[in-house]
Amino acid sequence: MALYISKYFITVEWTSGEEEMILLGKNSKGSILPKTFQGEDNIKRVEVSKGIEYICADAFANCSNLEEIIIPASLKEINAYAFRGCDKLSSIVVN
């Protein structure tokens, strides 16, 4: 059994209050790919790791309960419509 440990991850807090670290696949190359979490209504908060440089279009589109995202200062680009339809998003923190 092989275990792949990625330096690219995000921490997601669900509306239930539970947190989960999600490792992004080796094909992501430092990006949260388009439509990765699109329509996930149970996401409340997201913390992006320092290895992530790009958030692609529609990555979190229509996550209707997303309230907060914490991003690293090293993030280079947030593409168009990454947070489209996230009407409760009220806090973006840059670390």
Side-chain angles (χ1 to χ4, degrees), residues 10-88:
I10 65 171
T11 302
V12 174
E13 180 183 345
W14 304 95
T15 54
S16 65
E18 293 195 26
E19 285 194 9
E20 177 180 9
M21 181 183 289
I22 298 175
L23 297 178
L24 301 177
K26 58 186 174 183
N27 293 329
S28 64
K29 297 181 182 176
S31 298
I32 300 175
L33 298 176
K35 301 181 181 181
T36 301
F37 296 98
Q38 183 176 14
E40 289 287 342
D41 292 336
N42 294 320
I43 295 177
K44 182 177 180 180
R45 184 182 62 83
V46 172
E47 184 171 350
V48 178
S49 73
K50 291 181 182 175
I52 303 296
E53 295 181 342
Y54 303 98
I55 300 177
C56 296
D58 294 321
F60 295 95
N62 301 313
C63 292
S64 60
N65 288 305
L66 180 60
E67 296 175 1
E68 178 182 29
I69 184 158
I70 301 166
I71 56 175
S74 59
L75 187 77
K76 293 181 179 178
E77 184 177 336
I78 299 175
N79 287 332
Y81 307 112
F83 299 100
R84 175 178 52 94
C86 298
D87 298 332
K88 291 185 180 179

